[in-house]
PDB file of all heavy atoms in Angstrom:
ATOM      1  N   SER A   1      15.917  33.349 -27.338  1.00  0.00           N
ATOM      2  CA  SER A   1      16.951  33.527 -28.378  1.00  0.00           C
ATOM      3  C   SER A   1      18.012  32.450 -28.293  1.00  0.00           C
ATOM      4  O   SER A   1      18.423  31.858 -29.320  1.00  0.00           O
ATOM      5  CB  SER A   1      17.596  34.906 -28.230  1.00  0.00           C
ATOM      6  OG  SER A   1      16.632  35.925 -28.372  1.00  0.00           O
ATOM      7  N   VAL A   2      18.499  32.174 -27.062  1.00  0.00           N
ATOM      8  CA  VAL A   2      19.547  31.158 -26.873  1.00  0.00           C
ATOM      9  C   VAL A   2      19.069  29.795 -27.346  1.00  0.00           C
ATOM     10  O   VAL A   2      19.786  29.068 -28.072  1.00  0.00           O
ATOM     11  CB  VAL A   2      19.991  31.113 -25.400  1.00  0.00           C
ATOM     12  CG1 VAL A   2      20.869  29.889 -25.139  1.00  0.00           C
ATOM     13  CG2 VAL A   2      20.709  32.391 -25.022  1.00  0.00           C
ATOM     14  N   ASN A   3      17.871  29.432 -26.947  1.00  0.00           N
ATOM     15  CA  ASN A   3      17.342  28.117 -27.321  1.00  0.00           C
ATOM     16  C   ASN A   3      17.050  28.031 -28.809  1.00  0.00           C
ATOM     17  O   ASN A   3      17.210  26.970 -29.426  1.00  0.00           O
ATOM     18  CB  ASN A   3      16.068  27.809 -26.523  1.00  0.00           C
ATOM     19  CG  ASN A   3      16.371  27.384 -25.090  1.00  0.00           C
ATOM     20  OD1 ASN A   3      16.821  26.271 -24.842  1.00  0.00           O
ATOM     21  ND2 ASN A   3      16.117  28.276 -24.144  1.00  0.00           N
ATOM     22  N   ALA A   4      16.612  29.153 -29.384  1.00  0.00           N
ATOM     23  CA  ALA A   4      16.382  29.163 -30.833  1.00  0.00           C
ATOM     24  C   ALA A   4      17.684  28.946 -31.587  1.00  0.00           C
ATOM     25  O   ALA A   4      17.729  28.205 -32.593  1.00  0.00           O
ATOM     26  CB  ALA A   4      15.740  30.488 -31.233  1.00  0.00           C
ATOM     27  N   ILE A   5      18.750  29.573 -31.121  1.00  0.00           N
ATOM     28  CA  ILE A   5      20.079  29.385 -31.745  1.00  0.00           C
ATOM     29  C   ILE A   5      20.538  27.940 -31.614  1.00  0.00           C
ATOM     30  O   ILE A   5      21.053  27.329 -32.568  1.00  0.00           O
ATOM     31  CB  ILE A   5      21.109  30.349 -31.119  1.00  0.00           C
ATOM     32  CG1 ILE A   5      20.771  31.806 -31.491  1.00  0.00           C
ATOM     33  CG2 ILE A   5      22.519  30.014 -31.568  1.00  0.00           C
ATOM     34  CD1 ILE A   5      21.568  32.843 -30.726  1.00  0.00           C
ATOM     35  N   ILE A   6      20.314  27.397 -30.388  1.00  0.00           N
ATOM     36  CA  ILE A   6      20.722  26.005 -30.150  1.00  0.00           C
ATOM     37  C   ILE A   6      19.976  25.057 -31.081  1.00  0.00           C
ATOM     38  O   ILE A   6      20.565  24.136 -31.689  1.00  0.00           O
ATOM     39  CB  ILE A   6      20.488  25.627 -28.674  1.00  0.00           C
ATOM     40  CG1 ILE A   6      21.461  26.387 -27.772  1.00  0.00           C
ATOM     41  CG2 ILE A   6      20.649  24.116 -28.468  1.00  0.00           C
ATOM     42  CD1 ILE A   6      21.182  26.227 -26.301  1.00  0.00           C
ATOM     43  N   VAL A   7      18.678  25.252 -31.211  1.00  0.00           N
ATOM     44  CA  VAL A   7      17.875  24.389 -32.088  1.00  0.00           C
ATOM     45  C   VAL A   7      18.328  24.531 -33.535  1.00  0.00           C
ATOM     46  O   VAL A   7      18.440  23.537 -34.286  1.00  0.00           O
ATOM     47  CB  VAL A   7      16.370  24.734 -31.937  1.00  0.00           C
ATOM     48  CG1 VAL A   7      15.558  24.039 -33.031  1.00  0.00           C
ATOM     49  CG2 VAL A   7      15.866  24.309 -30.577  1.00  0.00           C
ATOM     50  N   SER A   8      18.610  25.771 -33.935  1.00  0.00           N
ATOM     51  CA  SER A   8      19.069  26.011 -35.316  1.00  0.00           C
ATOM     52  C   SER A   8      20.381  25.286 -35.589  1.00  0.00           C
ATOM     53  O   SER A   8      20.562  24.640 -36.653  1.00  0.00           O
ATOM     54  CB  SER A   8      19.252  27.510 -35.559  1.00  0.00           C
ATOM     55  OG  SER A   8      18.035  28.183 -35.403  1.00  0.00           O
ATOM     56  N   LEU A   9      21.307  25.380 -34.649  1.00  0.00           N
ATOM     57  CA  LEU A   9      22.592  24.697 -34.810  1.00  0.00           C
ATOM     58  C   LEU A   9      22.426  23.188 -34.823  1.00  0.00           C
ATOM     59  O   LEU A   9      23.087  22.473 -35.604  1.00  0.00           O
ATOM     60  CB  LEU A   9      23.552  25.109 -33.686  1.00  0.00           C
ATOM     61  CG  LEU A   9      24.043  26.568 -33.713  1.00  0.00           C
ATOM     62  CD1 LEU A   9      24.831  26.883 -32.450  1.00  0.00           C
ATOM     63  CD2 LEU A   9      24.897  26.813 -34.959  1.00  0.00           C
ATOM     64  N   ALA A  10      21.527  22.705 -33.961  1.00  0.00           N
ATOM     65  CA  ALA A  10      21.294  21.258 -33.899  1.00  0.00           C
ATOM     66  C   ALA A  10      20.697  20.754 -35.198  1.00  0.00           C
ATOM     67  O   ALA A  10      21.086  19.689 -35.720  1.00  0.00           O
ATOM     68  CB  ALA A  10      20.379  20.926 -32.731  1.00  0.00           C
ATOM     69  N   LEU A  11      19.741  21.506 -35.719  1.00  0.00           N
ATOM     70  CA  LEU A  11      19.099  21.084 -36.964  1.00  0.00           C
ATOM     71  C   LEU A  11      20.054  21.146 -38.160  1.00  0.00           C
ATOM     72  O   LEU A  11      19.969  20.331 -39.084  1.00  0.00           O
ATOM     73  CB  LEU A  11      17.864  21.966 -37.233  1.00  0.00           C
ATOM     74  CG  LEU A  11      16.681  21.772 -36.281  1.00  0.00           C
ATOM     75  CD1 LEU A  11      15.596  22.797 -36.572  1.00  0.00           C
ATOM     76  CD2 LEU A  11      16.120  20.370 -36.390  1.00  0.00           C
ATOM     77  N   SER A  12      20.922  22.136 -38.150  1.00  0.00           N
ATOM     78  CA  SER A  12      21.806  22.316 -39.309  1.00  0.00           C
ATOM     79  C   SER A  12      23.080  21.468 -39.249  1.00  0.00           C
ATOM     80  O   SER A  12      23.611  21.074 -40.285  1.00  0.00           O
ATOM     81  CB  SER A  12      22.195  23.792 -39.452  1.00  0.00           C
ATOM     82  OG  SER A  12      22.882  24.223 -38.280  1.00  0.00           O
ATOM     83  N   ASN A  13      23.575  21.173 -38.059  1.00  0.00           N
ATOM     84  CA  ASN A  13      24.875  20.484 -37.931  1.00  0.00           C
ATOM     85  C   ASN A  13      24.776  19.069 -37.368  1.00  0.00           C
ATOM     86  O   ASN A  13      25.500  18.171 -37.800  1.00  0.00           O
ATOM     87  CB  ASN A  13      25.819  21.303 -37.043  1.00  0.00           C
ATOM     88  CG  ASN A  13      26.154  22.659 -37.663  1.00  0.00           C
ATOM     89  OD1 ASN A  13      26.419  22.743 -38.867  1.00  0.00           O
ATOM     90  ND2 ASN A  13      26.153  23.700 -36.856  1.00  0.00           N
ATOM     91  N   LEU A  14      23.921  18.879 -36.374  1.00  0.00           N
ATOM     92  CA  LEU A  14      23.919  17.592 -35.682  1.00  0.00           C
ATOM     93  C   LEU A  14      22.986  16.571 -36.327  1.00  0.00           C
ATOM     94  O   LEU A  14      23.377  15.418 -36.570  1.00  0.00           O
ATOM     95  CB  LEU A  14      23.534  17.810 -34.205  1.00  0.00           C
ATOM     96  CG  LEU A  14      23.664  16.596 -33.278  1.00  0.00           C
ATOM     97  CD1 LEU A  14      25.113  16.075 -33.293  1.00  0.00           C
ATOM     98  CD2 LEU A  14      23.246  16.974 -31.860  1.00  0.00           C
ATOM     99  N   LEU A  15      21.763  16.945 -36.645  1.00  0.00           N
ATOM    100  CA  LEU A  15      20.781  15.991 -37.167  1.00  0.00           C
ATOM    101  C   LEU A  15      21.194  15.343 -38.500  1.00  0.00           C
ATOM    102  O   LEU A  15      20.994  14.132 -38.686  1.00  0.00           O
ATOM    103  CB  LEU A  15      19.403  16.674 -37.310  1.00  0.00           C
ATOM    104  CG  LEU A  15      18.703  17.018 -35.990  1.00  0.00           C
ATOM    105  CD1 LEU A  15      17.343  17.654 -36.260  1.00  0.00           C
ATOM    106  CD2 LEU A  15      18.514  15.760 -35.138  1.00  0.00           C
ATOM    107  N   PRO A  16      21.774  16.102 -39.434  1.00  0.00           N
ATOM    108  CA  PRO A  16      22.164  15.443 -40.705  1.00  0.00           C
ATOM    109  C   PRO A  16      23.189  14.337 -40.508  1.00  0.00           C
ATOM    110  O   PRO A  16      23.279  13.410 -41.329  1.00  0.00           O
ATOM    111  CB  PRO A  16      22.742  16.598 -41.525  1.00  0.00           C
ATOM    112  CG  PRO A  16      22.088  17.820 -40.973  1.00  0.00           C
ATOM    113  CD  PRO A  16      21.966  17.553 -39.505  1.00  0.00           C
ATOM    114  N   LYS A  17      24.004  14.399 -39.480  1.00  0.00           N
ATOM    115  CA  LYS A  17      25.054  13.413 -39.243  1.00  0.00           C
ATOM    116  C   LYS A  17      24.541  12.146 -38.563  1.00  0.00           C
ATOM    117  O   LYS A  17      25.283  11.160 -38.429  1.00  0.00           O
ATOM    118  CB  LYS A  17      26.168  14.018 -38.399  1.00  0.00           C
ATOM    119  CG  LYS A  17      26.884  15.183 -39.089  1.00  0.00           C
ATOM    120  CD  LYS A  17      27.940  15.786 -38.198  1.00  0.00           C
ATOM    121  CE  LYS A  17      28.646  16.963 -38.911  1.00  0.00           C
ATOM    122  NZ  LYS A  17      29.680  17.574 -38.047  1.00  0.00           N
ATOM    123  N   LEU A  18      23.277  12.203 -38.100  1.00  0.00           N
ATOM    124  CA  LEU A  18      22.748  11.026 -37.403  1.00  0.00           C
ATOM    125  C   LEU A  18      22.424   9.874 -38.355  1.00  0.00           C
ATOM    126  O   LEU A  18      22.204   8.738 -37.906  1.00  0.00           O
ATOM    127  CB  LEU A  18      21.494  11.416 -36.597  1.00  0.00           C
ATOM    128  CG  LEU A  18      21.709  12.414 -35.446  1.00  0.00           C
ATOM    129  CD1 LEU A  18      20.386  12.728 -34.769  1.00  0.00           C
ATOM    130  CD2 LEU A  18      22.702  11.851 -34.430  1.00  0.00           C
ATOM    131  N   ASP A  19      22.378  10.148 -39.650  1.00  0.00           N
ATOM    132  CA  ASP A  19      22.120   9.073 -40.623  1.00  0.00           C
ATOM    133  C   ASP A  19      23.294   8.096 -40.710  1.00  0.00           C
ATOM    134  O   ASP A  19      23.132   6.928 -41.089  1.00  0.00           O
ATOM    135  CB  ASP A  19      21.859   9.671 -42.018  1.00  0.00           C
ATOM    136  CG  ASP A  19      20.534  10.416 -42.066  1.00  0.00           C
ATOM    137  OD1 ASP A  19      19.681  10.110 -41.196  1.00  0.00           O
ATOM    138  OD2 ASP A  19      20.343  11.293 -42.920  1.00  0.00           O
ATOM    139  N   ASN A  20      24.457   8.580 -40.356  1.00  0.00           N
ATOM    140  CA  ASN A  20      25.661   7.740 -40.407  1.00  0.00           C
ATOM    141  C   ASN A  20      25.582   6.704 -39.283  1.00  0.00           C
ATOM    142  O   ASN A  20      25.406   7.057 -38.111  1.00  0.00           O
ATOM    143  CB  ASN A  20      26.900   8.615 -40.237  1.00  0.00           C
ATOM    144  CG  ASN A  20      28.181   7.861 -40.559  1.00  0.00           C
ATOM    145  OD1 ASN A  20      28.272   6.649 -40.400  1.00  0.00           O
ATOM    146  ND2 ASN A  20      29.180   8.606 -41.002  1.00  0.00           N
ATOM    147  N   PRO A  21      25.715   5.385 -39.632  1.00  0.00           N
ATOM    148  CA  PRO A  21      25.624   4.332 -38.590  1.00  0.00           C
ATOM    149  C   PRO A  21      26.605   4.523 -37.446  1.00  0.00           C
ATOM    150  O   PRO A  21      26.317   4.124 -36.316  1.00  0.00           O
ATOM    151  CB  PRO A  21      25.927   3.057 -39.378  1.00  0.00           C
ATOM    152  CG  PRO A  21      25.515   3.378 -40.783  1.00  0.00           C
ATOM    153  CD  PRO A  21      25.856   4.804 -41.005  1.00  0.00           C
ATOM    154  N   SER A  22      27.698   5.172 -37.742  1.00  0.00           N
ATOM    155  CA  SER A  22      28.689   5.369 -36.678  1.00  0.00           C
ATOM    156  C   SER A  22      28.231   6.397 -35.635  1.00  0.00           C
ATOM    157  O   SER A  22      28.820   6.489 -34.567  1.00  0.00           O
ATOM    158  CB  SER A  22      30.022   5.813 -37.297  1.00  0.00           C
ATOM    159  OG  SER A  22      29.883   7.064 -37.954  1.00  0.00           O
ATOM    160  N   ASN A  23      27.163   7.139 -35.996  1.00  0.00           N
ATOM    161  CA  ASN A  23      26.666   8.178 -35.058  1.00  0.00           C
ATOM    162  C   ASN A  23      25.318   7.815 -34.421  1.00  0.00           C
ATOM    163  O   ASN A  23      24.679   8.664 -33.800  1.00  0.00           O
ATOM    164  CB  ASN A  23      26.528   9.514 -35.790  1.00  0.00           C
ATOM    165  CG  ASN A  23      27.856  10.086 -36.224  1.00  0.00           C
ATOM    166  OD1 ASN A  23      28.870   9.887 -35.539  1.00  0.00           O
ATOM    167  ND2 ASN A  23      27.890  10.773 -37.363  1.00  0.00           N
ATOM    168  N   HIS A  24      24.874   6.570 -34.595  1.00  0.00           N
ATOM    169  CA  HIS A  24      23.570   6.182 -34.050  1.00  0.00           C
ATOM    170  C   HIS A  24      23.514   6.323 -32.527  1.00  0.00           C
ATOM    171  O   HIS A  24      22.431   6.515 -31.951  1.00  0.00           O
ATOM    172  CB  HIS A  24      23.233   4.746 -34.472  1.00  0.00           C
ATOM    173  CG  HIS A  24      22.786   4.649 -35.894  1.00  0.00           C
ATOM    174  ND1 HIS A  24      22.482   3.452 -36.505  1.00  0.00           N
ATOM    175  CD2 HIS A  24      22.591   5.599 -36.840  1.00  0.00           C
ATOM    176  CE1 HIS A  24      22.134   3.667 -37.759  1.00  0.00           C
ATOM    177  NE2 HIS A  24      22.191   4.973 -37.992  1.00  0.00           N
ATOM    178  N   HIS A  25      24.659   6.197 -31.904  1.00  0.00           N
ATOM    179  CA  HIS A  25      24.659   6.321 -30.430  1.00  0.00           C
ATOM    180  C   HIS A  25      24.339   7.746 -29.958  1.00  0.00           C
ATOM    181  O   HIS A  25      24.100   7.970 -28.773  1.00  0.00           O
ATOM    182  CB  HIS A  25      26.032   5.903 -29.877  1.00  0.00           C
ATOM    183  CG  HIS A  25      27.150   6.783 -30.361  1.00  0.00           C
ATOM    184  ND1 HIS A  25      27.691   6.677 -31.642  1.00  0.00           N
ATOM    185  CD2 HIS A  25      27.829   7.789 -29.737  1.00  0.00           C
ATOM    186  CE1 HIS A  25      28.652   7.580 -31.778  1.00  0.00           C
ATOM    187  NE2 HIS A  25      28.759   8.267 -30.616  1.00  0.00           N
ATOM    188  N   LEU A  26      24.337   8.701 -30.926  1.00  0.00           N
ATOM    189  CA  LEU A  26      24.038  10.102 -30.557  1.00  0.00           C
ATOM    190  C   LEU A  26      22.551  10.466 -30.715  1.00  0.00           C
ATOM    191  O   LEU A  26      22.156  11.577 -30.379  1.00  0.00           O
ATOM    192  CB  LEU A  26      24.868  11.053 -31.429  1.00  0.00           C
ATOM    193  CG  LEU A  26      26.385  10.943 -31.307  1.00  0.00           C
ATOM    194  CD1 LEU A  26      27.049  11.875 -32.304  1.00  0.00           C
ATOM    195  CD2 LEU A  26      26.827  11.261 -29.887  1.00  0.00           C
ATOM    196  N   ILE A  27      21.768   9.508 -31.200  1.00  0.00           N
ATOM    197  CA  ILE A  27      20.346   9.821 -31.460  1.00  0.00           C
ATOM    198  C   ILE A  27      19.608  10.182 -30.161  1.00  0.00           C
ATOM    199  O   ILE A  27      18.921  11.210 -30.058  1.00  0.00           O
ATOM    200  CB  ILE A  27      19.659   8.640 -32.178  1.00  0.00           C
ATOM    201  CG1 ILE A  27      20.225   8.475 -33.591  1.00  0.00           C
ATOM    202  CG2 ILE A  27      18.144   8.872 -32.235  1.00  0.00           C
ATOM    203  CD1 ILE A  27      19.687   7.266 -34.332  1.00  0.00           C
ATOM    204  N   ILE A  28      19.741   9.307 -29.165  1.00  0.00           N
ATOM    205  CA  ILE A  28      19.010   9.545 -27.893  1.00  0.00           C
ATOM    206  C   ILE A  28      19.485  10.822 -27.210  1.00  0.00           C
ATOM    207  O   ILE A  28      18.658  11.651 -26.800  1.00  0.00           O
ATOM    208  CB  ILE A  28      19.139   8.318 -26.962  1.00  0.00           C
ATOM    209  CG1 ILE A  28      18.406   7.128 -27.574  1.00  0.00           C
ATOM    210  CG2 ILE A  28      18.582   8.649 -25.575  1.00  0.00           C
ATOM    211  CD1 ILE A  28      18.559   5.834 -26.798  1.00  0.00           C
ATOM    212  N   PRO A  29      20.798  11.063 -27.053  1.00  0.00           N
ATOM    213  CA  PRO A  29      21.241  12.331 -26.451  1.00  0.00           C
ATOM    214  C   PRO A  29      20.739  13.556 -27.223  1.00  0.00           C
ATOM    215  O   PRO A  29      20.383  14.576 -26.616  1.00  0.00           O
ATOM    216  CB  PRO A  29      22.765  12.229 -26.499  1.00  0.00           C
ATOM    217  CG  PRO A  29      23.053  10.784 -26.503  1.00  0.00           C
ATOM    218  CD  PRO A  29      21.955  10.154 -27.305  1.00  0.00           C
ATOM    219  N   THR A  30      20.689  13.414 -28.564  1.00  0.00           N
ATOM    220  CA  THR A  30      20.231  14.548 -29.374  1.00  0.00           C
ATOM    221  C   THR A  30      18.745  14.815 -29.139  1.00  0.00           C
ATOM    222  O   THR A  30      18.309  15.974 -29.020  1.00  0.00           O
ATOM    223  CB  THR A  30      20.484  14.263 -30.873  1.00  0.00           C
ATOM    224  OG1 THR A  30      21.887  14.048 -31.072  1.00  0.00           O
ATOM    225  CG2 THR A  30      20.018  15.422 -31.717  1.00  0.00           C
ATOM    226  N   ILE A  31      17.954  13.715 -29.078  1.00  0.00           N
ATOM    227  CA  ILE A  31      16.506  13.876 -28.819  1.00  0.00           C
ATOM    228  C   ILE A  31      16.289  14.553 -27.459  1.00  0.00           C
ATOM    229  O   ILE A  31      15.453  15.455 -27.311  1.00  0.00           O
ATOM    230  CB  ILE A  31      15.805  12.505 -28.880  1.00  0.00           C
ATOM    231  CG1 ILE A  31      15.814  11.967 -30.321  1.00  0.00           C
ATOM    232  CG2 ILE A  31      14.369  12.629 -28.364  1.00  0.00           C
ATOM    233  CD1 ILE A  31      15.301  10.552 -30.445  1.00  0.00           C
ATOM    234  N   ILE A  32      17.050  14.090 -26.449  1.00  0.00           N
ATOM    235  CA  ILE A  32      16.927  14.700 -25.102  1.00  0.00           C
ATOM    236  C   ILE A  32      17.284  16.186 -25.160  1.00  0.00           C
ATOM    237  O   ILE A  32      16.569  17.035 -24.622  1.00  0.00           O
ATOM    238  CB  ILE A  32      17.832  13.958 -24.096  1.00  0.00           C
ATOM    239  CG1 ILE A  32      17.340  12.527 -23.889  1.00  0.00           C
ATOM    240  CG2 ILE A  32      17.887  14.714 -22.768  1.00  0.00           C
ATOM    241  CD1 ILE A  32      18.283  11.659 -23.065  1.00  0.00           C
ATOM    242  N   PHE A  33      18.363  16.474 -25.840  1.00  0.00           N
ATOM    243  CA  PHE A  33      18.849  17.849 -25.927  1.00  0.00           C
ATOM    244  C   PHE A  33      17.834  18.746 -26.626  1.00  0.00           C
ATOM    245  O   PHE A  33      17.479  19.831 -26.137  1.00  0.00           O
ATOM    246  CB  PHE A  33      20.187  17.851 -26.666  1.00  0.00           C
ATOM    247  CG  PHE A  33      20.812  19.213 -26.797  1.00  0.00           C
ATOM    248  CD1 PHE A  33      21.136  19.962 -25.676  1.00  0.00           C
ATOM    249  CD2 PHE A  33      21.070  19.753 -28.061  1.00  0.00           C
ATOM    250  CE1 PHE A  33      21.711  21.213 -25.803  1.00  0.00           C
ATOM    251  CE2 PHE A  33      21.636  21.014 -28.183  1.00  0.00           C
ATOM    252  CZ  PHE A  33      21.958  21.744 -27.055  1.00  0.00           C
ATOM    253  N   VAL A  34      17.344  18.297 -27.762  1.00  0.00           N
ATOM    254  CA  VAL A  34      16.376  19.083 -28.536  1.00  0.00           C
ATOM    255  C   VAL A  34      15.058  19.223 -27.764  1.00  0.00           C
ATOM    256  O   VAL A  34      14.427  20.281 -27.774  1.00  0.00           O
ATOM    257  CB  VAL A  34      16.159  18.447 -29.929  1.00  0.00           C
ATOM    258  CG1 VAL A  34      15.006  19.149 -30.653  1.00  0.00           C
ATOM    259  CG2 VAL A  34      17.428  18.524 -30.758  1.00  0.00           C
TER     260      VAL A  34
END
């Protein structure tokens, strides 16, 4: 349940913001986290 919530939050809040060039440095940490 915890991991499902985390993945849901990541998909809904974090991944859409990675398209912004200013957030490219978060791609690798996000991949590791997911």
